Amino acid sequence: MPTTEYTPPPNFIRTIVADDIKANKNGGKVLTRFPPEPNGYLHIGHAKSICLNFGIAAEFGGLCNFRFDDTNPGKEEIEYVESIMADVRWLGFDWGDRLFYASDYFERLYEFAVELIRSGRAYVCSLTADEIREYRGTLTQPGKDSPYRNRPVEENVDLFARMRAGEFADGTHVLRAKIDMASPNLNLRDPVIYRIRHVTHHRTGDDWCIYPMYDFAHGLSDSIEGITHSICTLEYEDHRPLYDWFLDVLDVPCHPQQIEFARLNLSHTVMSKRKLLQLVREGHVAGWDDPRMPTLAGIRRRGYTPESIRNFCEMIGVGKRDSVVDVGLLEYCIREDLNRHAPRVMAVLNPLKVVVDNYPEGQTEELDAINNPEDAGMGTRKVPFSREIYIEREDFMEDPPKKFYRLAPGREVRLRYAYFVKCVDVVKDEKGNVVELHCTYDPTTRGGGSPDGRSVKATLHWVSAPHAVRAEVRLYDHLFTKANPNDESGGLDFKACLNPRSLEVLGSCYVEPGLAGAGPGSRYQFERQGYFCVDPDSSDGKLVFNRTVTLRDTWAKIMKSGQAGK
RNA sequence: UGGGGCGUCGCCAAGCGGUAAGGCACGGGUCUUUGGAACCCGCACUCGGAGGUUCGAAUCCUCCCGCCCCAGCCA
């Protein structure tokens, strides 16, 4: 169930699929696929594709295959296939028994290649990589035929068999489709479809030393699986004629329709594997699952819920224009989810001690607190109160500006669920820093009510000093300050746009005692501080909270716009 | 400059010849045991530009402008 009343907008892919079903194309069936290459971690951009493929299938009573496009060993690792499966599962999708690998089809693909050769549509080319590039021509000039283009069929068959048998070194020969060296679409200028790679494949081991290229393997794999709609990103638009060419020319089970959509770009975020790898390698982040990373592993660790990601993918829509979605929308989605489902607790991140002078020394009492004011079903809990408490340092100002409603000398505020307190004294150190506050409380306001009807302008969160549990808190912010770090043309200049405050570790924070045994991954809303989750990886027994996202902060806005003056 | 795509509010995005949905953001308000949340109101006489067709165009035609992708034995 989506977490909002929001109705997803129609999109062109839904329309195409709906029309196909109406026309009874493919017998009215829908079979999509999510085909990652296991050469890295999945990121939020992949989530869009996953949600789209599994979503469209589910929506129209079809299914979605999960296939690893593992045709380039050397870049691919078993570690990645495992992380990818875990991420898709975490996102909430179930591929049932439809887990496939392009490498499962290597034999079949080889046969297709031989069929191509026998029909005179493919040839073994012995030009070097550099020569092939030269022969390909340029964007404006046509290419020229390879001298090997008209090799006799039998020679091609023989050579290709010997390529497979391992008789040749890497780079000495390739198999090319014989299409059109003058095509304005460079992808059609006799594309390479098989190359020699004496590399151990993570699944097929050393069974093969020739591997099919994407263009050849992908469409045929789709066809073998009976895919109806092959949804991919915009950069493959130029490849569609080639995708169709193989399926037209070969004797295949079916001819899926390739549909392209715009990949996700997020402001303040880099999404390319190359740049993400650079962030990891140069040590700007702790690893692929650093909570600041846009990887699903990082986002999960940061405390995002799969529901919020799915909802986000629904809200951003699907189109063909290059766009950059504001991270603010992602943050909206996680706030909305957590606001409903995460219990609220009080935690003081930057403590200032307050002594309640007229509260009996040594006395403690348990007060009732509500876990979620908007969901009575989430119940209540007890929080201890005593003579010494901590409040947020920023909740007190000795000389408050006009619109500051919180605590100040002589002013009375409410301690949430506890009492009204009035500040009667301010203690400072030699340097003039406020180190402690003295207040008096009104016993008749127990629980936070005011029997005499008097009101206060602010309610503060707090924790009892002797009872509070110490915790480490990591405040995460955007990794990048630049509006869109993807703007640069050459290499990304991290120095220019990395946010130096993307990670702030607080070591002396205090949380309610009830959080002492909070399990890894549990999520909370810290009153007025944001949404936090217990780091799933806090292994050394320390209580560590990751800030998932901040709350909307109106006061900060007022301060920023300078309206808080006296 | 060859080919393939795309241009609707600050950011996404519906619309497909009948007179500009929705969400985020933003502004204002009500309420509030946190200045959060919730709720209410406001927010494109205009659809990259210029012509044309039509009773009528964001939707059709023409030209122009801008942006993205393609010259891996990557996917």
Side-chain angles (χ1 to χ4, degrees):
Chain A
M1 277 292 283
T3 53
T4 43
E5 315 292 318
Y6 177 80
T7 331
N11 65 51
F12 77 103
I13 297 183
R14 270 194 255 257
T15 305
I16 290 173
V17 175
D19 288 350
D20 286 349
I21 287 176
K22 208 175 293 170
N24 202 39
K25 191 175 167 185
N26 307 306
K29 295 252 189 297
V30 176
L31 216 213
T32 57
R33 102 266 94 113
F34 172 61
E37 180 189 14
N39 69 343
Y41 283 68
L42 255 30
H43 53 64
I44 183 135
H46 293 107
K48 180 178 181 182
S49 171
I50 296 168
C51 291
L52 226 196
N53 279 295
F54 279 92
I56 286 283
E59 199 175 321
F60 294 96
L63 293 168
C64 178
N65 286 357
F66 185 8
R67 179 172 78 232
F68 283 100
D69 226 336
D70 55 350
T71 57
N72 188 16
K75 277 196 173 182
E76 299 156 5
E77 290 173 27
I78 197 79
E79 177 202 338
Y80 294 135
V81 346
E82 279 162 8
S83 80
I84 290 169
M85 287 200 275
D87 288 341
V88 174
R89 220 176 275 125
W90 174 76
L91 241 200
F93 295 99
D94 181 11
W95 54 86
D97 57 356
R98 295 175 314 288
L99 172 63
F100 304 101
Y101 295 82
S103 53
D104 290 341
Y105 312 133
F106 281 172
E107 189 62 48
R108 186 87 184 269
L109 259 16
Y110 178 83
E111 286 162 16
F112 276 128
V114 172
E115 183 184 336
L116 225 42
I117 294 171
R118 291 211 182 279
S119 64
R121 292 191 169 97
Y123 62 96
V124 172
C125 180
S126 307
L127 252 21
T128 65
D130 285 341
E131 287 167 337
I132 286 180
R133 191 183 323 115
E134 284 164 28
Y135 275 69
R136 184 154 36 225
T138 68
L139 293 178
T140 49
Q141 292 164 287
K144 56 185 182 190
D145 289 358
S146 160
Y148 303 98
R149 199 171 201 261
N150 294 311
R151 264 216 259 243
V153 168
E154 285 314 316
E155 190 182 333
N156 283 321
V157 171
D158 174 62
L159 246 19
F160 190 48
R162 290 165 62 196
M163 279 169 66
R164 174 182 183 170
E167 287 187 28
F168 308 115
D170 289 6
T172 51
H173 306 280
V174 292
L175 184 69
R176 293 228 255 168
K178 192 190 286 187
I179 306 181
D180 177 9
M181 287 308 291
S183 171
N185 180 345
L186 307 225
N187 295 121
L188 265 19
R189 320 246 260 230
D190 289 11
V192 171
I193 58 178
Y194 264 93
R195 74 289 215 190
I196 301 171
R197 277 261 200 295
H198 290 273
V199 175
T200 302
H201 186 281
H202 61 96
R203 289 192 79 244
T204 60
D206 295 317
D207 292 351
W208 295 85
C209 64
I210 57 172
Y211 293 92
M213 297 284 288
Y214 166 87
D215 284 309
F216 184 70
H218 200 87
L220 291 170
S221 298
D222 281 348
S223 181
I224 289 167
E225 292 178 15
I227 299 299
T228 57
H229 303 268
S230 182
I231 302 168
C232 61
T233 44
L234 250 29
E235 63 268 31
Y236 292 104
E237 268 176 327
D238 287 340
H239 294 247
R240 189 173 355 114
L242 186 50
Y243 181 102
D244 289 331
W245 189 85
F246 289 122
L247 296 177
D248 285 340
V249 132
L250 259 7
D251 184 23
V252 296
C254 67
H255 190 144
Q257 178 183 4
Q258 175 175 305
I259 304 167
E260 309 85 8
F261 72 97
R263 60 162 8 109
L264 169 68
N265 290 301
L266 259 191
S267 67
H268 300 277
T269 311
V270 294
M271 218 74 100
S272 90
K273 270 178 192 165
R274 202 197 96 237
K275 290 170 189 167
L276 293 177
L277 184 65
Q278 191 187 341
L279 283 167
V280 174
R281 290 235 171 107
E282 294 179 3
H284 296 110
V285 296
W288 286 96
D289 69 340
D290 186 295
R292 291 164 294 180
M293 291 286 271
T295 51
L296 293 181
I299 280 170
R300 172 177 54 213
R301 199 168 157 203
R302 174 95 173 245
Y304 275 73
T305 61
E307 291 77 12
S308 68
I309 303 297
R310 280 188 254 126
N311 194 226
F312 170 72
C313 290
E314 197 57 75
M315 285 179 76
I316 56 178
V318 182
K320 300 193 70 155
R321 350 179 175 165
D322 297 304
S323 59
V324 180
V325 176
D326 196 308
V327 268
L329 185 61
L330 213 210
E331 295 176 340
Y332 163 82
C333 289
I334 186 59
R335 282 192 193 105
E336 185 191 51
D337 186 3
L338 261 21
N339 181 48
R340 282 184 209 217
H341 306 296
R344 293 183 177 203
V345 295
M346 295 193 286
V348 174
L349 303 194
N350 188 11
L352 174 60
K353 182 177 273 189
V354 175
V355 179
V356 185
D357 292 335
N358 59 340
Y359 194 85
E361 228 159 310
Q363 180 173 317
T364 293
E365 64 184 306
E366 300 267 295
L367 299 165
D368 289 310
I370 298 165
N371 292 331
N372 189 329
E374 281 142 74
D375 184 357
M378 288 178 71
T380 61
R381 67 184 184 285
K382 299 281 188 189
V383 289
F385 182 80
S386 67
R387 193 167 186 267
E388 294 195 354
I389 60 170
Y390 292 120
I391 64 166
E392 209 67 63
R393 195 153 211 115
E394 62 177 35
D395 283 348
F396 170 80
M397 279 187 108
E398 194 174 13
D399 191 14
K402 205 167 186 176
K403 290 187 176 173
F404 186 86
Y405 302 142
R406 281 112 93 165
L407 200 58
R411 188 181 288 178
E412 186 176 52
V413 298
R414 171 169 40 231
L415 293 178
R416 184 160 220 207
Y417 303 126
Y419 297 97
F420 281 17
V421 293
K422 181 186 275 185
C423 178
V424 295
D425 194 21
V426 179
V427 180
K428 299 180 188 175
D429 62 15
E430 330 68 68
K431 285 182 243 165
N433 301 315
V434 175
V435 294
E436 188 176 293
L437 258 30
H438 285 265
C439 291
T440 56
Y441 84 116
D442 176 354
T444 71
T445 58
R446 187 173 198 275
S450 59
D452 64 357
R454 87 179 180 276
S455 69
V456 289
K457 294 207 79 171
T459 300
L460 308 187
H461 58 279
W462 53 275
V463 292
S464 165
H467 301 92
V469 169
R470 275 182 84 122
E472 181 174 298
V473 170
R474 296 177 186 151
L475 305 180
Y476 293 106
D477 197 350
H478 302 309
L479 240 194
F480 297 95
T481 53
K482 201 172 163 188
N484 178 11
N486 302 301
D487 282 347
E488 51 49 74
S489 37
L492 183 59
D493 182 8
F494 287 145
K495 275 186 205 126
C497 54
L498 268 172
N499 176 5
R501 302 208 313 201
S502 64
L503 169 58
E504 186 182 357
V505 178
L506 305 180
S508 60
C509 322
Y510 296 95
V511 298
E512 286 181 16
L515 266 55
S522 37
R523 305 177 173 94
Y524 301 92
Q525 178 185 146
F526 286 2
E527 295 282 4
R528 235 198 50 235
Q529 294 292 167
Y531 296 97
F532 291 75
C533 84
V534 178
D535 191 308
D537 282 8
S538 45
S539 48
D540 53 0
K542 248 192 322 187
L543 190 55
V544 177
F545 287 94
N546 290 334
R547 183 170 68 190
T548 305
V549 65
T550 60
L551 253 32
R552 245 178 103 232
D553 189 350
T554 314
W555 169 245
K557 251 178 228 168
I558 292 171
M559 289 289 276
K560 218 173 175 179
S561 62
Q563 288 169 17
K566 306 200 176 181

